[in-house]
Amino acid sequence: MLSDVIPEDKELRQKLQNDRLEKVLRIHEAENNTEDFHRTCLFCRQDFEEHKGLFDHMAFDHNFSVGQPANLVFVKKFLDLLQSKLEGLICLYCEKVFKSRDVLKEHMRKKGHKKLNPQNKEYDAFYLVNYLEFGRTWEDISRDPADEEIISGFDVVAEKDDSHHEWGSWRDNVGKVVCLFCQAAYDHSSDLFDHMLQIHGFNFVKLKQDLRLGFYQQIKMINYIRRCVHLNTCFGCSMKLDSPEKLSEHISWSNHFTPDELEWNQSQYLFPTYENDNLLHCLEEDEVVDDGGSSARAT
């Protein structure tokens, strides 16, 4: 049994956690970029070549949402599990068994059971949030009074007359996104990027394109910049300043808007600098068109 009190044990635990997280993130990235996906909707006969399109279809056309597709991992196993339960005539929420598929469908529709049972730990393995901290699941995070919302993108609603949690509506907009340099917050990332360009001179969109940053590289860079700003340290030259105002002025006048890759491209920056940093949920990869005219994701 490892102990956080003993420095060697704590360091080993952190290393094991980082190794596990990096392995899961590699699988997650491979799933997002794979061309070997073909699946039929769980509720109709429509076929899909991308898992994001499938989950979006089930959410919007069948009112069955398991959350944002970007937060899922081991997708094929997840879909196999859901399909096996439906084929076994098991309700995905209350987990009662019914005598026919028609009766099951009517039950899930009338009772509003087109959602997963959050008490079933079987589903935890398919959500990235459960790999962020060793030994903690999304439920542990949601009970932490320091956390205002669950970083996986869904709300937990506690019914007054029911001791069980119920998953609320999943949201496309996971909350306001906060500037890297000040307290300005916006509903949409595009507005935030415009603000950082106009007010602070920091063009994140151009920087991402110039450096061909993939999804996880963007996460590392943002977490690194947030840490530097928190420490009043220039992320371009590592100079320590006396205040956030002087730091912002220094970065702007010195044009130090490009962090050193050796500094930010480290696995430790896969972890959020601040809890509930909604900007991390809004990142996208650009499609790069090659000389042959075909497009591919920037990696």
Side-chain angles (χ1 to χ4, degrees):
M1 180 68 70
L2 297 176
S3 171
D4 284 337
V5 178
I6 303 174
E8 292 79 5
D9 284 1
K10 185 175 182 180
E11 184 178 343
L12 178 58
R13 181 190 292 271
Q14 187 64 51
K15 182 181 184 305
L16 292 173
Q17 167 63 12
N18 286 340
D19 290 345
R20 184 180 74 151
L21 178 59
E22 287 193 355
K23 178 181 178 181
V24 171
L25 289 175
R26 285 196 297 269
I27 294 172
H28 179 259
E29 186 170 20
E31 288 179 337
N32 286 337
N33 296 326
T34 185
E35 297 180 357
D36 185 28
F37 182 89
H38 182 84
R39 199 84 185 207
T40 302
C41 173
L42 297 174
F43 303 101
C44 69
R45 296 183 178 180
Q46 188 168 341
D47 294 327
F48 293 87
E49 303 297 328
E50 292 183 344
H51 71 266
K52 181 183 184 300
L54 171 58
F55 285 115
D56 286 344
H57 161 77
M58 291 193 293
F60 293 111
D61 292 352
H62 299 289
N63 198 30
F64 175 74
S65 178
V66 296
Q68 298 182 20
N71 294 327
L72 299 174
V73 69
F74 304 115
V75 172
K76 289 184 178 180
K77 290 183 179 179
F78 187 30
L79 289 168
D80 287 341
L81 177 61
L82 297 180
Q83 185 173 341
S84 67
K85 287 181 178 291
L86 292 175
E87 289 177 349
L89 305 179
I90 301 172
C91 174
L92 297 176
Y93 183 73
C94 68
E95 301 185 343
K96 293 180 180 178
V97 181
F98 293 84
K99 62 182 180 181
S100 70
R101 187 174 180 85
D102 289 337
V103 175
L104 171 62
K105 288 170 61 178
E106 187 66 9
H107 161 81
M108 293 177 69
R109 184 185 67 82
K110 283 187 174 181
K111 295 291 186 179
H113 284 189
K114 285 191 172 183
K115 51 192 172 185
L116 302 183
N117 179 1
Q119 303 302 315
N120 189 336
K121 304 302 181 184
E122 206 173 7
Y123 300 125
D124 287 355
F126 306 111
Y127 290 89
L128 284 175
V129 67
N130 295 311
Y131 296 93
L132 295 181
E133 297 183 49
F134 193 84
R136 298 186 78 200
T137 66
W138 66 266
E139 269 196 313
D140 299 322
I141 296 171
S142 71
R143 284 194 291 264
D144 191 335
D147 295 321
E148 296 180 358
E149 63 181 352
I150 303 170
I151 61 176
S152 60
F154 52 80
D155 293 325
V156 176
V157 181
E159 299 290 346
K160 292 182 180 180
D161 58 348
D162 191 351
S163 61
H164 295 290
H165 286 142
E166 180 181 22
W167 284 5
S169 299
W170 291 74
R171 303 159 297 167
D172 289 329
N173 184 355
V174 295
K176 289 186 178 295
V177 286
V178 180
C179 177
L180 296 174
F181 306 101
C182 68
Q183 296 302 311
Y186 295 86
D187 290 324
H188 303 288
S189 59
S190 58
D191 295 331
L192 173 63
F193 294 144
D194 286 341
H195 160 83
M196 290 195 294
L197 176 59
Q198 298 298 326
I199 303 301
H200 304 287
F202 180 65
N203 192 339
F204 178 77
V205 175
K206 185 177 186 301
L207 183 64
K208 176 183 70 172
Q209 294 170 346
D210 290 345
L211 299 180
R212 298 171 60 89
L213 298 181
F215 177 73
Y216 298 110
Q217 291 173 311
Q218 293 178 60
I219 287 180
K220 291 176 183 179
M221 178 175 285
I222 285 177
N223 288 328
Y224 173 72
I225 292 176
R226 286 215 188 276
R227 180 177 181 276
C228 289
V229 172
H230 175 71
L231 298 174
N232 288 331
T233 302
C234 175
F235 53 82
C237 69
S238 300
M239 179 183 290
K240 177 80 173 179
L241 282 301
D242 295 331
S243 68
E245 293 74 21
K246 289 185 178 180
L247 172 64
S248 181
E249 181 180 353
H250 165 80
I251 293 174
S252 179
W253 280 98
S254 303
N255 198 28
H256 286 176
F257 293 117
T258 304
D260 185 347
E261 184 173 358
L262 293 177
E263 297 292 333
W264 64 261
N265 196 11
Q266 302 180 40
S267 60
Q268 70 187 81
Y269 295 115
L270 288 168
F271 296 90
T273 298
Y274 296 121
E275 291 291 341
N276 305 318
D277 187 350
N278 291 317
L279 179 57
L280 301 178
H281 296 279
C282 303
L283 302 176
E284 296 180 351
E285 292 181 279
D286 292 323
E287 288 193 352
V288 180
V289 179
D290 59 27
D291 294 336
S294 60
S295 62
R297 290 288 185 182
T299 56

